[in-house]
Amino acid sequence: MHSMLFSRAYGWRRAGHLAYQRSGLIMRHHSTQIPESSKLSWMLLPTKKNTDTVQSTTDVLIKAGYIHQSQSGIYTLMPLAQRVVTKITQIITEEMERVGGQRMSMPSLLGPEAWKKTGRLESTGSELFTLTDRKGAQHILAPTHEEEVTSIVKSMVRSYRQYPLRLFQVTRKFRDETRPRAGLLRAREFIMKDMYSFDIDQQSAISTFHAVEQAYRACFDRLGVPYVVAEADSGNIGGELSKEFHFVSAAGEDTVLTCKCGYAANEERARGRGASGADMYEMEGSEQRVVVPAMRRPNMLKIKQAWPDCGELTLEHRKSGEEVASLGQMIALDEVCADGDYLVDAAVDGLAVEGIDNFSNVEVGDWHTAQSGDACCKCSTGTLESQTAIEVGHIFYLGDKYSKALDLLVQHDGKRQPVQMGCYGIGVSRVLQAAAECSSSSRGLRWPVSIAPYLATLVPLENNMEHATSVFATLSNICVNGARVFANNVIVDDRSYLSPGFKLHDAQLLGIPITVVLGQKFKQSGHVEVQLRVPRLEIAMCVAGVDVAGDGYEYKAFVHVDQLAEFLVCALEGQF
């Protein structure tokens, strides 16, 4: 069942509105003080009633009218979702500008020449959307803009005095996903904020990296969803220093290992110590051997970075280190196994590595995949715990990967050298769905206050629409720390063609933090019913002298309209 919240065919003749022509413009006279933009009857919002007891967050977002699937992996952001994206973008923009970011807009349609020079045209492969124009020229739909922004800076910057530069944009990106899934989390077209930094030397570039990391922490603090910052691999982007920002959620595709001491890393980069013992693996098509802690998988990502041409690994057991040494082949030895204390009991399944010192060309490094229960490598007492998470941000110190390939050089201190770069991304549309994943349920969505499409929805029942104007004004004029945070943040459900039950169902489904219901008690005594649905909100059972009932997911109270502003400010203290 759909409720089409759309301007009707009789729009200009709608009761209470008068349209007339003046100086060539259509002007409207409003019979109320509630603007049409704050009325649900004017919004395209095709909600559906929930019929399934178990459903994905993508299903909830579709049923709530936030997104519409155009085709596999491609979604339209409906008006409410666009408001969420606008608020996320505003927070990001403010924090990027605080660290000197300058917002720009680069084209989505790029030429392949710079991508060939950096090697990414080949390495990215089938994930790139490519097309050919009528003249036979090849183009790329950009999944990222390192090559483009480097070329721009090269063509425009003439002196080291023009550095540092921090350039960012919020734009649509494209990736030809093999199997699009999970709605906006793994889409073929998505909205992303990407910033690129340019510095004259490594020290300055690393300082920029840490400054932007703090700006990211400020962004995610303001977004209001618990997050984890994890050490990460740089992947196809490249670079030497990398961190990911994750929302912890069962819907995630990433695994993050954390310790109470504060250490956190994704599964590909995490380091831990397991039980005593060691296993040896043989590289297919290579003379290399890899020795890792017993019962731990070799980390193929790290191994491939060291030996790009290595094949699959096959587990083989040796009776002694001396027997392995007699092969005379290079060994990649995990640093955990290289620890002298560890090797005291290094024997499992017949493999011993006491003779490892006999090897002449041992590559000692972090070659195994850590797992939950391993001892933390950072502290001596902690244990790693595994959490499933959604990656929503990633920051990289790139070094000279792109500047060297594209000949972006700077003359400084008598030397001509490649500019040092960094790149910093946040998946804006991904944050929208990830935030919903972290707080939604079968009862509907719940948005953090900072990014909710509206802070409050006003639902007049029992023919109370005539009183909605004054309550709307009360809500809109609420001030928090001198700011009218509710201005343009209140929506009124004036849909006379829907039943009270459907309106209240939609109020819960949409996940707007505050619902104010004008029902029978409002007629009798001036009391409104306030429903609060705010993730991780904990409030007392009495606020501003008003009794509150709740189960942790939702709180309800009957508040006299004269106390409404005071009640909301007290109940939501610390949320703004």
Side-chain angles (χ1 to χ4, degrees), residues 51-345:
T51 56
D52 303 326
T53 54
V54 179
Q55 52 194 339
S56 68
T57 301
T58 302
D59 292 334
V60 176
L61 287 168
I62 291 173
K63 290 182 178 182
Y66 279 84
I67 60 176
H68 170 77
Q69 185 170 5
S70 299
Q71 54 182 298
S72 177
I74 300 176
Y75 291 84
T76 295
L77 299 180
M78 303 302 287
L80 284 183
Q82 185 58 50
R83 285 184 64 94
V84 175
V85 165
T86 298
K87 291 188 175 184
I88 294 170
T89 301
Q90 183 62 31
I91 290 172
I92 293 171
T93 298
E94 289 174 3
E95 296 303 332
M96 293 303 99
E97 289 178 346
R98 283 194 178 99
V99 290
Q102 304 171 66
R103 188 168 177 177
M104 60 190 301
S105 180
M106 289 179 278
S108 294
L109 199 61
L110 304 178
E113 291 77 17
W115 284 68
K116 291 177 182 178
K117 291 179 180 179
T118 62
R120 288 211 300 167
L121 186 65
E122 181 179 356
S123 64
T124 305
S126 58
E127 285 190 356
L128 275 180
F129 274 112
T130 59
L131 58 97
T132 304
D133 65 19
R134 67 182 67 191
K135 296 181 180 180
Q138 185 184 16
H139 301 277
I140 296 168
L141 281 177
T144 182
H145 279 80
E146 282 80 8
E147 285 84 356
E148 181 69 12
V149 73
T150 304
S151 300
I152 291 170
V153 172
K154 178 184 176 181
S155 69
M156 300 183 72
V157 176
R158 297 288 178 263
S159 168
Y160 74 90
R161 295 182 179 87
Q162 293 174 266
Y163 295 105
L165 288 173
R166 297 170 185 177
L167 308 172
F168 77 98
Q169 63 176 353
V170 180
T171 189
R172 289 185 177 271
K173 308 276 191 176
F174 304 87
R175 182 183 295 118
D176 192 0
E177 291 283 355
T178 303
R179 189 170 63 89
R181 57 198 179 275
L184 302 178
L185 293 184
R186 185 68 70 178
R188 306 175 85 188
E189 180 181 8
F190 49 95
I191 301 172
M192 184 174 175
K193 187 285 301 181
D194 46 328
M195 184 162 85
Y196 305 92
S197 64
F198 299 84
D199 289 276
I200 59 175
D201 55 41
Q202 184 182 56
Q203 182 179 356
S204 300
I206 292 177
S207 295
T208 294
F209 178 91
H210 293 303
V212 178
E213 178 186 347
Q214 293 307 309
Y216 265 52
R217 291 177 184 271
C219 281
F220 288 104
D221 287 343
R222 292 178 62 184
L223 290 174
V225 181
Y227 65 95
V228 174
V229 184
E231 295 179 8
D233 181 74
S234 296
N236 191 43
I237 297 291
E240 304 169 16
L241 182 61
S242 172
K243 290 189 178 182
E244 293 172 347
F245 290 74
H246 294 266
F247 291 164
V248 177
S249 168
E253 296 182 331
D254 295 308
T255 299
V256 177
L257 295 170
T258 61
C259 177
K260 292 181 180 179
C261 71
Y263 175 76
N266 69 16
E267 188 178 37
E268 297 169 338
R269 181 54 61 186
R271 301 166 65 189
R273 296 171 60 93
S276 296
D279 289 340
M280 188 177 74
Y281 288 78
E282 180 181 10
M283 295 185 189
E284 180 181 322
S286 169
E287 295 184 350
Q288 312 300 336
R289 300 292 191 273
V290 179
V291 175
V292 297
M295 310 305 292
R296 296 295 181 268
R297 293 180 291 110
N299 189 314
M300 288 305 299
L301 177 68
K302 298 174 184 176
I303 293 169
K304 283 281 190 181
Q305 288 174 341
W307 294 282
D309 298 327
C310 84
E312 296 298 319
L313 294 180
T314 303
L315 177 64
E316 60 177 343
H317 302 291
R318 298 290 174 178
K319 293 181 179 180
S320 68
E322 288 81 356
E323 183 175 350
V324 176
S326 68
L327 296 175
Q329 298 165 334
M330 183 186 294
I331 294 290
L333 175 65
D334 194 280
E335 60 192 7
V336 173
C337 300
D339 188 323
D341 294 335
Y342 184 92
L343 288 178
V344 172
D345 298 316

